[in-house]
């Protein structure tokens, strides 16, 4: 089956998942009601719920899933490693440590966001400075630096969890597992996704060459050093945008590119749009289940990304 | 023409080549021989413009290599590096198509002409049947042939190859040497790092001996490939034997 076929299939999947997200919730809405509410007609409560709660939430979930998947694609091309995901270089570790510190101090939502942003930036600069500054860039050094920093941040997170008490712990766990209930800065995140997604697709030929090996890429006329720096910062920006939107949601960034590759597609001009569509649809589905399955209780979405994704991927792996 | 002028090459503070003056002319095939760690790969990378020289310059058609855009250079000068680790997820065909990257006109995808050239290169390396297989499922020798096919698809006149025969069985060694020989006959030029004296004698008209202390000898193959020179180069005893009028050097153990 051609990549084009999968592209249209995933476009439909995206539309379906968004629709599913819009109709489900504690106030059940029929598809017809959703449709009229979208244009501001019908029941005012329905319009309110749809425009204030559900639409921002599904759009945030889709965007977040797309950001994570794109970041995963770029990092896997940069590191040429199947285990690379948006969190492997310690960016989420830094963000988590920052966010949890702010929570421990009893800061409000805005301060927590700011602290997580600062923590992520610190991690990005530290990994780049320690692992990537030399003329002869060594990808393994970058990877190891990131993994070491992640481990350090993990310890710090455990310490903060141990120091926290009662209600605080739950908020922290939600942040760590991912939570899409406060989609702040949604338009900005969409702009990041669209701009980076478009640029990455336009430069997909270079990504293919880079994925074929550094030495060969240089021989084929690619400015490898510049590409690596650009990819690192692009992936970092995407990860930060995703973290700001939904916290550290696992599994999506690692697995969506692999799922698309298991369909037999590895050329980046298709891998990028397909991964973004798949990641977005998948996260909308996971988030909708997370908020409706035990309603009114909301569960962390990260639990569902793994619970849904792991069996699916094991099945795909077994089929190949 | 690819020229080294007064070239000195160093890596990690160690000088691996001192004051090299040479010119690779169309129709020539150069063999680079030396011990492990003598700096053959670094010298090759320097000649390709992928490693900065310590002193002197590499000149391509009268212009210093650094002043030429890498993509333009990659249309004329090909490099086959030693195989590197890491994953490539695409098919053999997609891998070979990457060789068309420097020639590609559109930003998006490869043309039918590019695909045809890639298929030709695959056929030359007897890989057409494996074209749709993921590269990762190939054996070491098949991967090496895929890498050579990629370089062939690049359609360059000059080619620098780092151990082109690694992992290859005898039949495919012969095949690769024949295909590369054709490049030379068509007015191209080759420089290859080799470990097999026999192939250097058979295929190279010029050789470059790179000694562990950074000294470099180069010249006509039949003059330089003597027992004395190679014993000094490899620091081991060699024996000269003659088979059917052909002089061969074999390990003297």
């Amino acid at each position: 089956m051609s990549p084009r076929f999968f592209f249209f299939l995933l476009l439909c999947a995206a539309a379906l998942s968004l629709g599913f997200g819009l109709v489900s919730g504690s106030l059940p809405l029929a598809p017809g009601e959703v449709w009229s509410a979208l244009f501001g007609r019908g029941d005012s409560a329905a319009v309110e719920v749809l425009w204030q709660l559900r639409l921002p939430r599904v759009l945030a979930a889709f965007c977040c899933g797309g950001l994570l998947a794109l970041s995963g694609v770029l990092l896997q091309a940069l590191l040429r490693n199947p285990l690379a995901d948006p969190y492997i270089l310690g960016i989420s570790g830094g963000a988590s440590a920052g966010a949890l510190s702010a929570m421990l101090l009893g800061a409000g939502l805005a301060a927590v966001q700011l602290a997580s942003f600062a923590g992520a930036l610190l991690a990005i600069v530290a990994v780049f400075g320690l692992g990537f500054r030399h003329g002869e860039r060594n990808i393994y050094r970058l990877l190891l630096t990131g993994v070491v920093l992640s481990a350090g941040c993990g310890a710090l997170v455990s310490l903060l969890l141990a120091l926290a008490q009662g209600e605080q712990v739950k908020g922290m766990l939600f942040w760590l597992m991912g939570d899409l209930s406060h989609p702040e800065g949604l338009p900005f995140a969409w702009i990041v996704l669209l701009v980076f997604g478009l640029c990455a697709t336009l430069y997909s030929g270079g990504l293919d060459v880079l994925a074929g090996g550094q030495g060969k890429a240089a021989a084929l006329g690619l400015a490898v050093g510049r590409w690596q720096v650009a990819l690192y910062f692009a992936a970092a920006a995407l990860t930060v945008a995703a973290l700001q939107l939904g916290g550290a949601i696992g599994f999506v960034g690692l697995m969506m590119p692999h799922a698309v590759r298991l369909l037999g597609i590895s050329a980046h001009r298709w891998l990028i749009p397909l991964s973004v569509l798949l990641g977005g649809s998948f996260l909308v589905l996971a988030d909708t289940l997370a908020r409706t399955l035990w309603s009114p209780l909301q569960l962390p979405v990260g639990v569902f990304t793994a619970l849904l994704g792991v069996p699916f991927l094991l099945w795909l792996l077994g089929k190949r | 023409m690819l020229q080294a002028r007064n070239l000195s090459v160093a890596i990690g503070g160690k000088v691996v080549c001192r004051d090299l003056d040479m010119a690779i002319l169309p129709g020539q095939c150069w063999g680079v021989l030396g011990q492990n760690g003598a700096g053959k790969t670094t010298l090759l990378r320097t000649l390709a413009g992928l490693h900065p020289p310590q002193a002197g310059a590499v000149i391509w058609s009268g212009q210093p290599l650094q002043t030429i855009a890498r993509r333009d250079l990659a249309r004329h000068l090909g490099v086959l590096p030693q195989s590197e680790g890491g994953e490539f997820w695409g098919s053999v065909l997609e891998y070979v198509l990457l060789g068309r990257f420097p020639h590609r006109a559109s930003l998006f995808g490869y043309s039918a002409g590019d695909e045809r050239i890639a298929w030709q290169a695959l056929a030359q390396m007897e890989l057409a049947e494996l074209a749709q297989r993921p590269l990762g499922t190939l054996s070491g020798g098949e991967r090496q042939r895929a890498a050579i096919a990629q370089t062939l698809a690049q359609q360059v006149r000059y080619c620098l190859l780092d151990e082109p025969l690694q992992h290859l069985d005898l039949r495919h060694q012969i095949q690769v040497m024949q295909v590369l020989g054709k490049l030379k006959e068509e007015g191209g030029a080759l420089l290859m790092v080799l470990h097999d004296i026999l192939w250097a004698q058979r295929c190279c008209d010029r050789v470059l001996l790179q000694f562990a202390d950074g000294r470099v000898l180069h010249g006509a193959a039949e003059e330089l490939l003597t027992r004395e020179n190679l014993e000094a180069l490899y620091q081991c005893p060699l024996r000269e034997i003659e088979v059917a009028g052909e002089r061969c050097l074999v390990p003297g153990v």
Side-chain angles (χ1 to χ4, degrees), chain A residues 103-164:
Chain A
M103 285 179 178
L104 190 72
L105 295 173
L109 189 61
V112 169
Q113 292 275 59
L114 202 66
S116 79
F117 186 69
L121 279 191
L122 212 63
I124 291 165
V125 172
V127 171
F128 186 80
L130 295 170
F132 216 8
R133 78 205 125 108
H134 293 277
E136 199 88 358
R137 291 180 209 288
N138 185 341
I139 270 324
Y140 290 110
R141 198 186 149 102
L142 179 74
L143 188 59
L144 264 178
T145 313
V147 170
V148 168
L149 195 80
S150 283
C153 289
L156 205 58
V157 163
S158 303
L159 176 70
L160 289 166
L161 278 171
L163 291 175

Side-chain angles (χ1 to χ4, degrees), chain B residues 59-103:
Chain B
I59 315 280
W60 169 258
S61 312
Q63 264 184 295
L65 215 52
Q66 282 88 347
T67 63
I68 306 170
R70 282 235 56 98
R71 210 176 120 99
D72 295 336
L73 188 64
R75 290 194 201 113
H76 307 287
L77 178 70
V79 184
L80 178 80
Q82 279 183 45
S83 56
E84 32 186 339
E87 200 108 7
F88 180 77
W89 287 283
S91 69
V92 177
L93 176 63
E94 284 173 310
Y95 184 70
V96 172
L97 256 178
L98 296 182
R100 300 303 300 162
F101 181 70
H103 298 277

Side-chain angles (χ1 to χ4, degrees), chain B residues 4-9 15 17-22 55 214 216 218:
Chain B
R5 270 197 210 146
N6 212 4
L7 183 72
S8 291
V9 179
V15 178
C17 164
R18 203 169 284 118
D19 301 328
L20 173 66
D21 275 292
M22 69 184 284
V216 171
H218 65 84

Side-chain angles (χ1 to χ4, degrees), chain A residues 221-249:
Chain A
L222 200 75
V224 172
R226 241 180 294 160
W227 271 78
Q228 287 176 333
V229 173
L231 273 180
Y232 174 78
F233 282 106
L238 289 161
T239 307
V240 170
L243 283 167
Q244 291 289 297
L245 211 53
I249 298 171

Side-chain angles (χ1 to χ4, degrees), chain A residues 76 80-82 136 201-202 205-206 208-209 211-216 218-222 258 261 266-267 269, chain B residues 45 50 70-71 74 79 81 84-90 94-95 98-99 101-102 104 107-109 150-151 154:
Chain A
Q76 284 169 11
R80 301 190 69 219
N81 190 314
E136 199 88 358
T201 311
L202 281 177
D208 289 334
V209 173
Q214 257 188 79
K216 203 62 228 208
L220 288 169
L222 200 75
H258 285 310
R261 285 194 195 101
S266 57
R269 66 174 185 280
Chain B
R45 282 172 51 80
L50 299 173
R70 282 235 56 98
R71 210 176 120 99
V79 184
E84 32 186 339
E87 200 108 7
F88 180 77
W89 287 283
E94 284 173 310
Y95 184 70
L98 296 182
F101 181 70
R104 159 173 121 134
L107 207 54
F108 217 62
Q150 191 189 62
T151 306
Q154 207 176 334

Side-chain angles (χ1 to χ4, degrees), chain B residues 147-163:
Chain B
I148 293 170
Q150 191 189 62
T151 306
L152 291 176
Q154 207 176 334
Q155 293 193 320
V156 286
R157 288 186 51 233
Y158 271 60
C159 209
L160 312 175
L161 307 113
D162 200 348
E163 295 194 37

Side-chain angles (χ1 to χ4, degrees), chain B residues 102-124:
Chain B
H103 298 277
R104 159 173 121 134
S106 103
L107 207 54
F108 217 62
Y110 292 90
S111 72
D114 289 331
E115 289 215 13
R116 206 186 54 240
I117 291 165
W119 276 108
Q120 277 169 4
L122 281 167
Q124 274 182 295

